Amino acid sequence: MTATLPEPTLIETENIHVIDCDAHLTEPADLWSARVPATLRDRMPKQETRNGLTAWYVDGEMWASIGGNTIGHGPKKVLGTNTLQPFEEIHHSAWSTRERLELIDEQGVWAQILYPNGVGFSSNHIFAISDIKQRTQILQTYNDFLVEVQHESGGRLLPQAMLPIWDMDLTVKEMTRLIDQGIAGFTLSDKPELLGLPELPEAYFDPMWDIFNETRTVANFHIGAGGTREESEGLRQSMRDQRAGKSPMTVNTTGAKVAAPSWRSFGPQRWLAVMATQMYMSNVRIVTNLCMSNLFDRYPNLKVVSAESGIGWVPFLLEALEYQLDEMVTTDKEKALQLRRPTEYFRDHIYVMFWFESSAPAKLVEEIGVNNILVETDIPHPTCLYPDAKGHFSRVLGDLDPVSRKRILQDNAAELYKIEVPVGR
């Protein structure tokens, strides 16, 4: 099914340059082959189409999907699918800098913060490659591509780079290298312990947090970024089982079977809708832990973004955190961990974002905090706002005062990611 698309609507009365804080950059077919010497190409990911399905392969084995891509040629948005297949069906704006800029110009969007697509929302898929030299080459080549995109776009497309968190010395070097080239933030796993690493507040990660704190680059947690490659494979298998009419199951990190997100009686499209709805709120875990920790006491300049997670759940979470802190944290030792209240940490350090929501932007801005809200389009993923993002934002934020509306649509993101916006129209 192809969506019926309305004519774009613009906010005519205000000088606002909308900054889209979560869109996705699909990995182009030649990402690695065009950027490494011929002697290394056999060890790099290769895009192959087998039986009409395109995916990424490493050392002959499937490594990653091509991600969510629902904007086809035309361009047009296709409903009812997670991704168009094969790769040739996808509109070039998914990976072409020039065509992406044309697309967002048509949408009334000035700049985009870009996350990975098929290769995972943090470096977990790359971590799954056992050869460390090969793994590092793949990651650094990918990050070099991101720098190219940002420079080619004139600073309007800002990809968030991946980090080699399996090696903290290398992480520090990679952060420094990329920040020097203009990268404004990094996308992180919210569950490194699933990879056999320490948890985020432990001493192992201190050098990484030091750099975030000193440089004021952004720490981004995209929904689904903490899943291991094995979990991703289990989810894909569960989707295949659903399409084949089998009983879908997923496997957790201990190897135990767990229930799939959706009932097996649902069809594949409904299964995807149920799974996606649950995933939107998966970042509740990282936000809750951050607000109940002392990480922001230790790193007072740290800014954290919860990407693609929506905002409607935030007031309940903050209220629950405040209540549970007083009800449950009573001993002197436990009370001494943090210096401030959870809501204070949230207000000063954490950003959340919305796209399709109407109720929360219209009714909950004060409870969430006007300085903590960003907007996104999620292009080219399923349920992305296309092609009238600015019209949607104008409608759902229409009752806000002009200063608050401009802050949510432009100023928060411009300040956070250090984006220069034009003066005047």
Side-chain angles (χ1 to χ4, degrees):
M1 178 179 179
T2 302
T4 301
L5 305 176
E7 290 297 318
T9 305
L10 299 180
I11 302 172
E12 298 287 358
T13 58
E14 299 165 290
N15 176 29
I16 294 179
H17 294 83
V18 175
I19 299 176
D20 172 5
C21 291
D22 172 56
H24 292 267
L25 182 62
T26 301
E27 297 78 19
D30 67 348
L31 192 158
W32 283 276
S33 61
R35 292 171 178 81
V36 299
T39 53
L40 296 177
R41 286 177 194 159
D42 286 346
R43 305 300 312 281
M44 294 295 103
K46 298 180 181 65
Q47 192 184 94
E48 298 181 19
T49 300
R50 300 181 183 181
N51 300 319
L53 297 176
T54 307
W56 287 98
Y57 291 81
V58 173
D59 297 333
E61 295 185 359
M62 185 179 173
W63 171 62
S65 74
I66 56 173
N69 292 282
T70 59
I71 298 179
H73 299 297
K76 62 182 180 182
K77 179 182 173 182
V78 180
L79 303 183
T81 184
N82 180 52
T83 191
L84 300 174
Q85 286 280 7
F87 194 76
E88 289 74 23
E89 296 296 318
I90 301 168
H91 191 260
H92 293 182
S93 60
W95 64 84
S96 164
T97 300
R98 178 182 61 81
E99 295 197 42
R100 177 62 67 94
L101 291 175
E102 291 174 357
L103 191 84
I104 66 173
D105 282 342
E106 292 167 0
Q107 286 244 91
V109 169
W110 168 250
Q112 282 187 327
I113 307 303
L114 297 175
Y115 291 90
N117 203 348
V119 300
F121 304 143
S122 67
S123 57
N124 288 10
H125 260 62
I126 296 176
F127 198 149
I129 296 170
S130 58
D131 186 308
I132 294 179
K133 185 175 181 180
Q134 179 187 24
R135 181 197 303 173
T136 302
Q137 182 72 56
I138 289 171
L139 181 135
Q140 291 183 326
T141 303
Y142 177 80
N143 284 340
D144 289 343
F145 162 66
L146 301 185
V147 172
E148 289 175 20
V149 169
Q150 182 163 320
H151 291 174
E152 185 183 354
S153 74
R156 292 181 62 192
L157 302 177
L158 290 89
Q160 305 300 285
M162 291 186 182
L163 292 176
I165 58 171
W166 58 85
D167 182 330
M168 195 47 53
D169 289 339
L170 183 59
T171 291
V172 169
K173 291 177 183 177
E174 190 69 357
M175 291 181 78
T176 303
R177 179 179 82 89
L178 294 170
I179 291 168
D180 287 346
Q181 296 182 78
I183 290 294
F186 300 88
T187 180
L188 301 172
S189 169
D190 60 312
K191 305 178 189 74
E193 58 271 24
L194 296 184
L195 305 172
L197 294 173
E199 293 183 328
L200 288 168
E202 296 183 43
Y204 174 84
F205 284 102
D206 286 354
M208 180 187 78
W209 294 128
D210 283 336
I211 294 181
F212 276 118
N213 190 62
E214 292 166 6
T215 64
R216 304 192 183 214
T217 48
V218 183
N220 301 276
F221 293 99
H222 191 286
I223 62 166
T228 64
R229 181 172 179 263
E230 290 76 16
E231 287 177 318
S232 297
E233 290 293 335
L235 188 60
R236 277 201 291 265
Q237 183 60 51
S238 190
M239 293 174 70
R240 289 192 290 268
D241 290 344
Q242 190 76 15
R243 293 191 184 99
K246 301 177 183 178
S247 297
M249 300 290 287
T250 57
V251 178
N252 66 18
T253 54
T254 67
K257 289 184 177 181
V258 297
S262 169
W263 289 333
R264 60 177 175 265
S265 57
F266 288 168
Q269 292 182 325
R270 190 174 302 275
W271 188 96
L272 186 61
V274 169
M275 184 273 294
T277 301
Q278 294 173 42
M279 186 170 285
Y280 293 149
M281 289 166 281
S282 63
N283 272 11
V284 167
R285 179 183 184 272
I286 183 65
V287 173
T288 299
N289 278 277
L290 285 169
C291 290
M292 291 289 272
S293 76
N294 65 354
L295 200 66
F296 296 126
D297 298 328
R298 294 158 52 196
Y299 303 102
N301 297 324
L302 178 61
K303 301 295 184 182
V304 171
V305 166
S306 175
E308 202 179 315
S309 54
I311 63 173
W313 50 269
V314 172
F316 171 80
L317 177 68
L318 294 178
E319 191 171 357
L321 280 168
E322 293 289 325
Y323 183 74
Q324 292 294 336
L325 181 67
D326 291 335
E327 289 284 308
M328 296 295 176
V329 181
T330 59
T331 67
D332 289 342
K333 180 180 179 181
E334 290 262 15
K335 290 167 70 174
L337 176 66
Q338 59 190 119
L339 301 178
R340 304 174 69 197
R341 304 287 302 183
T343 299
E344 292 179 297
Y345 291 134
F346 181 88
R347 294 273 186 263
D348 288 348
H349 298 277
I350 297 178
Y351 296 79
V352 291
M353 63 182 72
F354 74 92
W355 69 114
F356 62 86
E357 289 173 271
S358 297
S359 177
K363 300 175 183 178
L364 299 176
V365 167
E366 184 175 352
E367 287 87 344
I368 297 166
V370 69
N371 295 321
N372 302 89
I373 301 175
L374 308 168
V375 296
E376 64 166 297
T377 67
D378 198 28
I379 286 173
H381 275 184
T383 75
C384 67
L385 291 183
Y386 178 82
D388 191 20
K390 198 167 186 180
H392 173 75
F393 298 140
S394 179
R395 288 186 292 273
V396 302
L397 297 173
D399 291 336
L400 280 185
D401 64 274
V403 173
S404 296
R405 188 156 55 236
K406 185 168 179 281
R407 177 140 292 282
I408 290 172
L409 293 173
Q410 173 188 298
D411 292 346
N412 286 338
E415 294 167 6
L416 179 64
Y417 291 102
K418 305 177 184 69
I419 300 171
E420 293 188 15
V421 296
V423 177
R425 289 192 178 275

